[in-house]
Amino acid sequence: MHEFGIAEAVLDAVERRAQGRKVARLRVRAGAMLRITGPAFEQAFTMVAPGSVAEGAATDLVVIPARLTCRTCGGDEETYDALAVCGGCASTDVDLLGGDELTLESIELEEVVTHVSGDSGGDRGDPDGSH
């Protein structure tokens, strides 16, 4: 499954950007010609992430269409299909542009909650001097 290679590349980019901080969610933009779906990417990422800063992180995959230009009629449209034909004249004499990009769009870091032990009220002082 090529999804694992893609997931490993994304994990590498996530780890560089997170700089050791725990990741809660990540968003990836992938071209349609990579032929990857959200569930397949999520499964692959879940399998490569254990032990990393992204272990347990939620994934969002946005699939970006390719641009199809027809050499026969000059039609121009978007497509998610690597074997697309022109929607205007049904010609197979088409050029596909793009659809092969892979971009780590964003990462969301987990909040770090700092707990202070002890009674914080003692730091304020007591106006009647009883403490």
Side-chain angles (χ1 to χ4, degrees), residues 2 12-13 19 25 34 53 55 63 66 77 87-88 103 112:
H2 75 287
D12 185 49
Q19 298 177 341
R25 176 176 295 279
L34 292 178
V53 296
E55 182 173 1
V63 178
E77 59 192 78
T103 306
V112 177

Side-chain angles (χ1 to χ4, degrees), residues 55-106:
E55 182 173 1
T59 61
D60 297 319
L61 179 72
V62 178
V63 178
I64 307 302
R67 194 101 212 129
L68 178 144
T69 304
C70 180
R71 293 181 187 169
T72 303
C73 73
D76 187 48
E77 59 192 78
E78 291 182 338
T79 183
Y80 291 91
D81 187 356
L83 303 174
V85 298
C86 176
C89 71
S91 174
T92 57
D93 191 12
V94 297
D95 290 319
L96 289 176
L97 282 156
D100 59 351
E101 57 271 7
L102 181 64
T103 306
L104 174 59
E105 187 174 279
S106 66

